[in-house]
Amino acid sequence: MKLRTKILCVFTLLFTVVFMNLMVATTSTVKRVHKDTINSFSTQTFEFKSEEIGNWLKSRISEVQLIALYVKYNNYDIKKTLPYITQLNREIGDKFGSDNTTFAIGYNDGIGWVTDNLSIDISERQYFKDGLSSDYEYLFSEPVKSRADETYITLLHYILRDDSNQVYGFLNAAISLEKLDEFVNQIDFYEGKSWIMDDKGTLYTHCEIENDIIDNLTKEIQISKDTRQITHGEKTIFYTNIPCTKNWYLCTAINTNFMYSETTNLAKKLLEIFAIAIILLILFSRKFSKTVTKPIEQLTASMEKFEKGDLDAIVELKANDEIGILVKSYNSMITQIKQLMEQIVINEKEKRRSELRILQAQINPHFLYNTLDTLQWKAYESGKDDMVLIIQSLSSFFRISLSKGKELIPLSKEIEHIKSYLIIQKTRFEDMLYYNFDIEADTSLYVPKLILQPLVENAIQHGTNQKLTPGYINIKIRQNEDSLLIDISDDGVGIDESKLSEIRSEMATLNPKDCYGLINVCKRIKLEYGDKADMHIESVKGEGTCVKIKLPLIEGENNEPFDNMR
């Protein structure tokens, strides 16, 4: 794993763990506080709605109390009060939700009248019996069906007492349940369902609510009659006692998920914020890790280039930290190695030139040339024309080989040298050897001397001489914009793949094990021109071999004129 990847993983893991813990703690706290706020606000809102209904009932109770005072003012004469009751039914009955049968008044025997012509008997009704046996000023009946218009009502049963606190009659005010429905339907509380019920589970408003909710709520009310909220499945149920009533409760069932949807959305927003923060921190980590690892990556890449032979693999970095010091040391090392290698190349060239000078010094050129001239004239006098040609070619061959110690010679002289060699070989092998020159290049260009002869010699010895039929050698020289291209090919026996691989390996390492002439030429041009020169070999078993050389164009050399090299 790369260093940058490690740093990025460590930073990412560290930031993720820290922010995840912070995110969980913050989200949990926010959700808890927000839930508490919602619950508190919901409870207050719910109690306010209950007070609103209680205030409306209180107004109705006050009106009934005024009527009771009127009866008392008439010396408790219920009959005398009947016209007043009839008038109240017409004028304020709509406040209770009924058109004309809101109020009824009667004696303590349970017989009462709505009008002079309409009487009622409530002696057997439970709320009447409860009123006689209790100290309540008033109480509400369970829902009953009105005899006047068949609608469902609840009766505000007010007990009439004299000055000695003895019950002498009752006053009923019919409150339409539709009026209570209006109040309940006005409650917009998280899109929940609201209703009014007593502590026994009796409903006073219309509401489609499950029976198990009513049963569970009734049990809870028996335990605690204060404002509370309970959970039932996926619903949250609020209930609170309605003022001015003994056992009425305003209830609302709300979908819990909807109720806390804002809390959920807030938590999601927080999650999104933390997610964005983590992403930004990861990006920051990448940026930071890049600033740390980029110099190391540059140094690594430079080392890889240097390992492949690039001696100019210097790292361009301006830094004063430890990595900067390391880079400076590396650059210094590369520079020193390059200088040492250049010095080694110079020393190698000088050593090779010294060896060549020593070898040439062992030969007395003037003695050799004079001897060959003598042999040439003797052969000419004897009419041995073939001997004249051989001696002349040999003389030219040696003259160009020595070249007064010069390393570079014109291409024309290198061609003349190899032609002299081929004339001698042709004389030797006669009809078994043929050669051809195909030259399209400037022959005044300079090339290292003696680079063609070893290759042609290899072509003859290991190529054409190994077959029983005549052999052909082709020397092709071309020139492009920046290179001189030389191909030496034969139609000999060729080289098998395994041997060809060995030869190519020796050429790549410049370490000869068998093909000394071939590797020596490759080594010489590499030492002279470096990467600007190239040499490779191609061969097909049974078809022949081709050696290709590429040299840079050298247009001049500070040497003496070649014709004076004698």
Side-chain angles (χ1 to χ4, degrees):
M1 183 182 292
K2 291 184 176 181
L3 178 60
R4 183 183 178 187
T5 305
K6 290 181 179 179
I7 294 175
L8 183 60
C9 289
V10 170
F11 269 85
T12 301
L13 181 61
L14 179 62
F15 285 141
T16 301
V17 170
V18 172
F19 271 86
M20 283 297 291
N21 289 332
L22 182 61
M23 178 183 65
V24 171
T26 304
T27 303
S28 177
T29 302
V30 169
K31 287 179 70 175
R32 177 175 54 79
V33 172
H34 198 247
K35 277 189 175 182
D36 291 343
T37 303
I38 288 177
N39 291 339
S40 176
F41 175 77
S42 299
T43 301
Q44 293 176 10
T45 303
F46 192 65
E47 289 178 346
F48 175 78
K49 291 294 182 181
S50 176
E51 295 239 354
E52 184 180 355
I53 297 174
N55 288 335
W56 183 84
L57 292 174
K58 185 177 181 180
S59 296
R60 305 292 78 80
I61 294 170
S62 297
E63 291 167 352
V64 172
Q65 288 174 336
L66 289 175
I67 298 172
L69 289 175
Y70 184 81
V71 177
K72 183 177 181 181
Y73 176 77
N74 286 326
N75 297 318
Y76 311 110
D77 189 345
I78 292 176
K79 287 289 187 178
K80 191 176 180 180
T81 309
L82 276 177
Y84 178 64
I85 296 298
T86 302
Q87 182 181 356
L88 290 177
N89 281 327
R90 288 196 304 267
E91 294 180 0
I92 65 171
D94 57 341
K95 291 183 179 181
F96 291 77
S98 179
D99 291 336
N100 53 16
T101 58
T102 301
F103 301 104
I105 191 169
Y107 292 101
N108 57 4
D109 58 359
I111 304 300
W113 291 268
V114 177
T115 64
D116 291 336
N117 301 320
L118 180 60
S119 63
I120 58 173
D121 183 1
I122 62 170
S123 59
E124 298 301 322
R125 294 189 179 181
Q126 187 61 44
Y127 65 86
F128 176 75
K129 294 178 180 180
D130 292 340
L132 291 176
S133 60
S134 66
D135 295 331
Y136 296 138
E137 180 183 2
Y138 61 88
L139 50 82
F140 292 95
S141 71
E142 293 184 353
V144 296
K145 184 179 289 186
S146 173
R147 295 179 181 178
D149 53 12
E150 299 294 321
T151 60
Y152 281 95
I153 59 174
T154 180
L155 293 171
L156 172 55
H157 183 68
Y158 191 88
I159 297 94
L160 298 176
R161 302 177 187 274
D162 56 21
D163 292 337
S164 60
N165 204 31
Q166 295 297 316
V167 176
Y168 69 88
F170 66 88
L171 181 61
N172 282 353
I175 298 175
S176 174
L177 297 188
E178 292 180 357
K179 192 67 176 180
L180 297 179
D181 280 335
E182 291 179 9
F183 281 102
V184 170
N185 293 334
Q186 290 173 2
I187 298 176
D188 184 12
F189 196 57
Y190 294 109
E191 298 185 4
K193 295 180 180 179
S194 300
W195 70 94
I196 296 174
M197 61 178 283
D198 60 19
D199 56 1
K200 298 178 182 178
T202 303
L203 296 178
Y204 288 81
T205 57
H206 176 73
C207 181
E208 296 179 359
I209 196 72
E210 295 85 349
N211 291 331
D212 55 343
I213 292 179
I214 299 297
D215 295 339
N216 189 27
L217 188 57
T218 301
K219 294 177 182 178
E220 291 293 330
I221 290 174
Q222 299 299 328
I223 297 173
S224 175
K225 299 183 181 295
D226 298 329
T227 301
R228 284 193 61 191
Q229 67 181 68
I230 62 172
T231 301
H232 183 89
E234 296 181 354
K235 290 182 171 57
T236 298
I237 303 169
F238 289 86
Y239 71 90
T240 185
N241 181 256
I242 299 175
C244 300
T245 67
K246 176 176 176 294
N247 57 355
W248 280 14
Y249 292 86
L250 176 61
C251 310
T252 295
I254 303 169
N255 186 290
T256 304
N257 292 333
F258 181 80
M259 180 180 176
Y260 296 124
S261 60
E262 293 183 0
T263 303
T264 304
N265 292 335
L266 179 60
K268 289 181 179 178
K269 290 293 182 183
L270 287 174
L271 289 175
E272 292 174 0
I273 292 172
F274 278 114
I276 293 173
I278 290 175
I279 293 173
L280 292 177
L281 284 172
I282 291 174
L283 294 177
F284 169 77
S285 300
R286 290 188 61 186
K287 184 72 174 178
F288 176 76
S289 64
K290 185 176 181 181
T291 59
V292 174
T293 60
K294 185 177 180 181
I296 300 177
E297 291 175 353
Q298 290 177 334
L299 183 59
T300 303
S302 179
M303 287 181 174
E304 291 176 352
K305 290 181 181 178
F306 178 74
E307 185 179 3
K308 295 177 181 178
D310 185 358
L311 300 182
D312 295 320
I314 301 296
V315 180
E316 299 293 339
L317 178 66
K318 295 181 180 180
N320 297 321
D321 55 11
E322 289 80 357
I323 297 176
I325 296 173
L326 179 63
V327 168
K328 289 179 182 178
S329 300
Y330 168 77
N331 289 340
S332 177
M333 180 188 69
I334 291 294
T335 302
Q336 293 179 12
I337 292 175
K338 183 179 179 181
Q339 292 174 351
L340 289 173
M341 293 191 69
E342 289 175 351
Q343 187 62 43
I344 290 172
V345 171
I346 293 172
N347 294 341
E348 183 69 21
K349 286 184 178 180
E350 187 60 34
K351 178 182 177 182
R352 185 167 50 81
R353 285 170 181 159
S354 298
E355 291 174 349
L356 186 59
R357 291 190 190 102
I358 293 172
L359 179 62
Q360 289 173 339
Q362 294 174 352
I363 304 173
N364 190 327
H366 295 287
F367 175 75
L368 178 62
Y369 296 151
N370 290 337
T371 301
L372 290 175
D373 284 344
T374 300
L375 291 175
Q376 182 177 348
W377 281 108
K378 288 291 183 181
Y380 181 75
E381 290 175 353
S382 302
K384 301 292 185 179
D385 294 339
D386 53 347
M387 291 297 295
V388 171
L389 179 61
I390 293 174
I391 294 172
Q392 186 179 7
S393 298
L394 182 60
S395 177
S396 175
F397 179 82
F398 280 122
R399 181 169 55 84
I400 296 173
S401 296
L402 295 174
S403 306
K404 294 185 70 174
K406 296 292 182 180
E407 282 294 310
L408 300 178
I409 63 175
L411 176 61
S412 59
K413 294 304 178 182
E414 182 69 10
I415 294 172
E416 181 182 342
H417 179 263
I418 194 60
K419 283 183 177 180
S420 298
Y421 175 79
L422 284 170
I423 288 172
I424 296 172
Q425 293 293 350
K426 176 67 175 174
T427 303
R428 178 185 176 191
F429 296 109
E430 297 182 346
D431 293 337
M432 294 301 291
L433 176 63
Y434 295 90
Y435 58 86
N436 177 62
F437 285 86
D438 182 7
I439 301 172
E440 294 183 7
D442 182 1
T443 57
S444 67
L445 295 171
Y446 277 76
V447 297
K449 69 179 180 182
L450 305 182
I451 60 173
L452 299 182
Q453 185 271 332
L455 305 180
V456 173
E457 183 178 351
N458 273 352
I460 294 173
Q461 290 183 358
H462 303 291
T464 59
N465 281 357
Q466 301 299 319
K467 66 177 187 175
L468 301 178
T469 58
Y472 293 85
I473 294 176
N474 185 57
I475 300 171
K476 180 180 178 181
I477 303 176
R478 294 286 186 272
Q479 177 183 346
N480 60 21
E481 293 181 357
D482 58 357
S483 302
L484 187 66
L485 306 175
I486 303 173
D487 293 354
I488 299 175
S489 58
D490 66 72
D491 64 347
V493 295
I495 307 171
D496 60 36
E497 286 294 331
S498 60
K499 182 62 178 177
L500 185 61
S501 296
E502 291 180 8
I503 294 172
R504 286 173 175 169
S505 177
E506 292 178 22
M507 291 174 66
T509 60
L510 299 178
N511 184 22
K513 296 180 180 179
D514 187 15
C515 305
Y516 292 96
L518 183 67
I519 305 305
N520 183 54
V521 172
C522 183
K523 187 175 183 179
R524 286 176 58 209
I525 65 174
K526 286 290 186 181
L527 285 171
E528 190 70 38
Y529 302 114
D531 291 338
K532 295 181 180 180
D534 188 29
M535 176 176 170
H536 67 279
I537 183 171
E538 298 175 355
S539 183
V540 178
K541 184 69 175 177
E543 295 184 10
T545 303
C546 179
V547 177
K548 296 178 178 288
I549 300 175
K550 183 180 79 170
L551 300 174
L553 300 180
I554 306 297
E555 296 182 352
E557 179 74 11
N558 293 325
N559 293 322
E560 297 179 19
F562 187 79
D563 291 338
N564 295 332
M565 295 178 183
R566 291 186 178 274

